Amino acid sequence: MTGFDKAWLALREPADLAARNTGLVSELARFLAADEQPHILDIGCGTGSTWRSLSDRVPGSTSWRLVDYDPALLAEAARSIGAGNRVEFRQHDLNDLAGLPLDGVSTVTASALLDLCSERFCDALSERLSVPGCALYAALNYDGVMRWSVDHALDGQVVDLFNRHQRRDKGFGPALGPHATSRMAEQLAARGYLLRIENSPWELDARSAALQTELLKGLRRPLLEMRSLGEQEIDDWLAFRLAALEMESSTCTIGHQDLLGLPA
Ligand SMILES: C[S@@+](CC[C@H](N)C(=O)[O-])C[C@H]1O[C@@H](n2cnc3c(N)ncnc32)[C@H](O)[C@@H]1O
């Protein structure tokens, strides 16, 4: 599974739903309620997870525009959300920020997206949003924390290598990875936004064994690409982690942060 694969997105969705900071969602809902015609643009929408998690919690009059560059994910979003829900779907590459369809939009949402983005992209996005004065709700940005209840001597090195791999180009130039939330907050604050940042970690136990397993398997390639640990060391570490999950119900915390920026 890859980071944008529909099976992976489906597997992570319940953990994302449980992790989102509810206080920020309530504050977003209050902001939208003050708008006569609330309209959300969800960028990097994938299969529509943000819509599914927020649509019951924001005013019923809210219209949505869901944007992604992947036609297969957009088609899945349209299939699962259906027509007539005040939702439209648009294919768009976010690297074209000038062409971002912001007409009528008061709030931009993004989930599990900012950590993929570069400093340059985040700076340009904050400028693009601040001109019409759009709010930004950017949830589930990986913050560099990965912890297991059962220790292994290599854990620290593995997390450090993975976090450094997260800084590689994910399609927007060198990615911010764990620094994404703070960079975006700085940029929005400089443009007069009011900001709130809250933690939204995944707390994964035995009930999330399938997600934990895929997460672990997904670490293999980045770890190999960092060329610091040998293939055998990586495979031994993975075998230990998978066995700890199966035999000892090892739990795992993956840190995220949610950010809400409201125009002053
Ligand atoms: C980790 S997924 C998150 C999807 C969804 N927001 C969620 O929470 O399930 C990142 C999403 O960003 C989209 N994406 C990545 N680069 C993009 C780009 N340049 N333009 C538009 N969408 C992009 C991917 O197709 C994918 O749907």
Side-chain angles (χ1 to χ4, degrees), residues 3-4 9 44-46 49 68-69 73 92-95 111-113 172:
F4 306 160
L9 295 182
C45 66
S49 169
D68 206 288
Y69 69 171
L73 294 179
H92 182 80
D93 186 335
L94 294 170
N95 284 296
S111 302
L113 180 76
F172 296 93

